[in-house]
Amino acid sequence: LGLSGPPGAGKSTFIECFGKMLTERKYKVSVLAVDPSSSTSGGSLLGDKTRMTELSRDMNAYIRPSPTRGTLGGVTRTTNEAILLCEGGGYNVVLVETVGVGQSEFAVADMVDMFILLLPPAGGDELQGIKRGIIEMADLVAINKADGDLIVPARRIQAEYVSALKLLRKRSKVWRPKV
């Protein structure tokens, strides 16, 4: 599964919860987390693993943060090979978290079985901010953090994306993207 979305959408938190659910069901889970590299120093924080503390201690999980090192598209130059190595290493589920910032971070969509776009319910004009590029590639749009005071904005943004997806050309004859 490939996951992308704007900063603050809860990608790492979602992956930790989903990953723990999978390991409790006896799946072996691999997480390939891609972090942006600095255009000045070339360095990267590789902080996603620190946000997945429970999953990082799980013996049935493997988390590998990697810097983009200037590669565009939200993944690294070797993400596809890393997916194959994880599958070959016996991991049943491979989750790839992209740098996830906007319209063009969807290179992972061609590397995975399902591409999920995670969105927060109250981030402003989401349709204007994300636009066509990444939306056209999404197999599933998940509105995250949809509880408490955010239930109403989450339902609104869900309706907006359901409408928007109807206007886009379908990528598959058998699957219609869900929101």
Side-chain angles (χ1 to χ4, degrees):
L1 302 173
L3 294 110
S4 192
K11 295 180 295 292
S12 296
T13 304
F14 174 85
I15 289 171
E16 178 164 63
C17 292
F18 188 59
K20 287 297 294 175
M21 181 200 71
L22 291 169
T23 59
E24 288 168 6
R25 293 180 182 185
K26 307 300 181 215
Y27 287 95
K28 287 186 70 180
V29 177
S30 175
V31 178
L32 303 174
V34 182
D35 282 330
S37 296
S38 167
S39 58
T40 306
S41 68
S44 182
L45 292 177
L46 303 177
D48 288 315
K49 191 171 184 174
T50 63
R51 286 188 224 124
M52 301 179 210
T53 53
E54 286 185 44
L55 190 60
S56 68
R57 290 190 298 255
D58 192 314
M59 294 304 294
N60 287 317
Y62 168 73
I63 302 173
R64 171 70 178 158
S66 299
T68 58
R69 291 195 177 107
T71 303
L72 300 177
V75 293
T76 70
R77 187 177 49 79
T78 58
T79 296
N80 200 45
E81 289 84 354
I83 292 170
L84 294 173
L85 283 170
C86 290
E87 289 174 341
Y91 289 92
N92 310 90
V93 179
V94 179
L95 304 172
V96 182
E97 178 184 358
T98 73
V99 295
V101 290
Q103 300 174 39
S104 61
E105 284 71 31
F106 55 78
V108 73
D110 293 328
M111 301 176 191
V112 296
D113 296 319
M114 177 173 262
F115 179 53
I116 302 168
L117 176 61
L118 246 59
L119 297 173
D125 185 354
E126 297 297 339
L127 289 175
Q128 186 61 28
I130 301 293
K131 296 194 181 174
R132 280 191 172 250
I134 201 164
I135 292 296
E136 290 176 319
M137 303 306 289
D139 297 306
L140 179 70
V141 177
I143 312 301
N144 204 13
K145 302 180 181 184
D147 57 353
D149 292 340
L150 296 176
I151 291 173
V152 172
R155 293 287 179 213
R156 188 191 84 247
I157 201 74
Q158 177 188 22
E160 288 179 18
Y161 274 94
V162 167
S163 295
L165 286 171
K166 290 177 185 173
L167 302 174
L168 300 177
R169 188 170 49 106
K170 295 169 188 59
R171 289 182 59 214
S172 169
K173 293 179 182 177
V174 296
W175 177 257
R176 294 186 71 125
K178 308 288 185 216
V179 180

